[in-house]
């Protein structure tokens, strides 16, 4: 397989990318079923005495690292062979020429923490932001399955929307997605979160640029306008689905707190308040 084929290949393989998590899941699930968990490894509150022994939150937060691509399971490599006629991680000459239209795939592995001794592995997809000498800076673009702890399995802590510095040596695959046929709602993929209005929920939401989110609208009309209270914040209204308005904050928007308001321009009374969302834009 020619190396250039890795980049030239379009992601009609979206199913392949998303499926990577499924292959890893099956592999890990089988091992889990064959293993017995040591009672000493169970969470501190797993007994039936009704008493929960506190654990320092930082000790149990989900965390993980990058997988060595040389240890990629044979069944996963075979999927690449079937799709592209071979398997060969991208060389530096390919990575040097990646643009912001491209994505990279890499594996992550969770780190066992107190109460969660079992490990999860997952392939993630991230959209390239910058190409650097030793890493590719990219934003995770698909919702991971195993970010959080589940049962006795530790979560890896990598989440959609987060910027990650991916070492070149762990990148499994690099490609340019073919243009999506979806326009409007869903054009940027599945939403990373669904947010009720802050004046109802009393919450402020953490969001990332370049990532789709759904706003729950009390109602939608053709005359609704959206306004932010900071000039250095840019956003795109992607589309609606029922009473959900999808939105993406643009890369380059200033980080920090911002308030987004939906106002209805009534022909008789002028602008009428509809809803408000308080956000904190993270890197």
């Amino acid at each position: 397989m020619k190396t250039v084929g890795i980049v030239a290949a379009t992601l009609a393989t979206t199913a392949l990318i998303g499926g990577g998590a499924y292959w890893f899941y099956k592999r890990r699930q089988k091992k889990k079923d064959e293993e017995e968990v040591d009672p000493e490894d169970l969470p501190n509150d797993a007994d039936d005495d009704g008493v929960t022994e506190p654990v320092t939150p930082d000790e149990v937060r989900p965390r993980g690292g990058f997988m060595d691509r040389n240890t990629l399971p044979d069944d996963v490599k075979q999927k690449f062979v079937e799709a592209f006629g071979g398997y060969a991680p991208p060389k530096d000459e390919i990575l040097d020429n990646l643009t912001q239209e491209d994505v990279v795939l890499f594996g992550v592995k969770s780190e066992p923490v107190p109460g969660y001794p079992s490990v999860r592995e997952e392939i993630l997809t991230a959209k390239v932001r910058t190409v650097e000498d030793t890493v590719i800076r990219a934003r995770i673009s698909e919702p991971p399955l195993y970010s959080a702890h589940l049962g006795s399995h530790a979560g890896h802590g990598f989440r959609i929307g987060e910027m990650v510095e991916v070492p070149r040596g762990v990148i499994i695959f690099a490609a340019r997605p073919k243009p999506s046929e979806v326009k409007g709602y869903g054009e940027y993929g599945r939403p990373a979160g669904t947010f009720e209005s802050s004046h109802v929920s009393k919450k402020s939401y953490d969001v990332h640029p370049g990532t789709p989110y759904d706003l729950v609208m009390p109602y939608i009309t053709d005359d609704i306008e959206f306004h932010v209270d900071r000039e250095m914040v840019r956003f795109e209204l992607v589309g609606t689905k029922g009473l959900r308005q999808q939105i993406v904050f643009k890369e380059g928007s200033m980080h920090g707190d911002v308030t987004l308001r939906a106002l209805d321009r009534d022909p008789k009374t002028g602008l009428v308040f509809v809803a408000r969302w308080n956000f904190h834009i993270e890197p």
Side-chain angles (χ1 to χ4, degrees):
M1 176 183 178
K2 295 181 179 180
T3 305
V4 70
I6 294 177
V7 167
T10 61
L11 291 189
T13 56
T14 300
L16 172 65
I17 295 174
Y22 177 65
W23 305 324
F24 275 94
Y25 169 78
K26 288 201 302 182
R27 179 167 168 259
R28 300 308 302 178
Q29 190 67 31
K30 181 178 179 182
K31 286 188 176 182
K32 188 189 79 168
D33 292 341
E34 294 173 350
E35 296 172 352
E36 288 188 8
V37 178
D38 189 326
E40 293 184 0
D41 289 334
L42 290 173
N44 289 335
D45 59 353
D47 55 22
D48 58 359
D49 63 2
V51 177
T52 299
E53 299 177 23
V55 180
T56 305
D58 190 56
E59 292 181 357
V60 296
R61 65 178 175 82
R63 55 180 178 263
F66 298 104
M67 286 180 57
D68 181 352
R69 69 185 178 192
N70 295 319
T71 63
L72 202 64
D74 290 339
D75 59 337
V76 176
K77 289 181 181 179
Q78 183 59 33
K79 294 297 181 181
F80 287 99
V81 173
E82 294 171 359
F84 303 106
Y87 170 73
K91 296 181 179 179
D92 277 340
E93 63 184 282
I94 297 296
L95 299 179
D96 287 342
N97 290 288
L98 293 176
T99 73
Q100 292 189 351
E101 297 180 16
D102 301 323
V103 297
V104 292
L105 276 70
F106 54 94
V108 297
K109 184 176 183 179
S110 64
E111 177 184 329
V113 296
Y116 303 94
S118 300
V119 171
R120 290 285 198 195
E121 297 173 340
E122 185 172 4
I123 295 178
L124 302 185
T125 305
K127 192 167 185 179
V128 175
R129 304 316 308 165
T130 61
V131 175
E132 301 179 14
D133 291 340
T134 59
V135 300
I136 304 296
R137 296 185 73 248
R139 192 176 296 282
I140 298 174
S141 56
E142 284 291 322
L145 294 179
Y146 305 125
S147 292
H149 300 320
L150 180 63
S152 62
H153 285 79
H156 51 64
F158 291 87
R159 300 181 184 278
I160 182 174
E162 291 183 346
M163 191 78 78
V164 290
E165 294 188 347
V166 188
R168 286 173 174 246
V170 306
I171 294 175
I172 297 169
F173 192 78
R176 178 165 299 170
K178 67 178 183 179
S180 171
E181 297 180 357
V182 177
K183 299 300 178 185
Y185 184 92
E187 182 175 346
Y188 291 89
R190 292 174 290 172
T194 300
F195 304 133
E196 297 280 353
S197 175
S198 295
H199 80 278
V200 174
S201 68
K202 311 302 181 186
K203 294 180 180 179
S204 181
Y205 303 104
D206 293 333
V207 296
H208 297 275
T211 306
Y213 298 95
D214 281 1
L215 310 179
V216 179
M217 301 288 294
Y219 65 88
I220 293 179
T221 72
D222 293 336
D223 299 316
I224 289 182
E225 302 175 359
F226 289 83
H227 301 267
V228 293
D229 63 350
R230 292 172 61 201
E231 293 184 359
M232 298 299 290
V233 174
R234 300 287 184 267
F235 64 92
E236 176 184 351
L237 300 173
V238 182
T240 60
K241 182 179 182 180
L243 288 178
R244 294 187 179 187
Q245 171 69 61
Q246 196 162 92
I247 187 173
V248 172
F249 287 97
K250 295 292 191 177
E251 295 284 356
S253 289
M254 185 176 290
H255 303 154
D257 295 328
V258 62
T259 296
L260 175 72
R261 289 180 174 84
L263 305 174
D264 190 6
R265 186 172 291 279
D266 187 275
K268 294 183 178 180
T269 61
L271 291 176
V272 177
F273 174 81
V274 177
R276 181 193 77 243
W277 292 267
N278 298 326
F279 294 114
H280 182 81
I281 301 178
E282 301 188 327

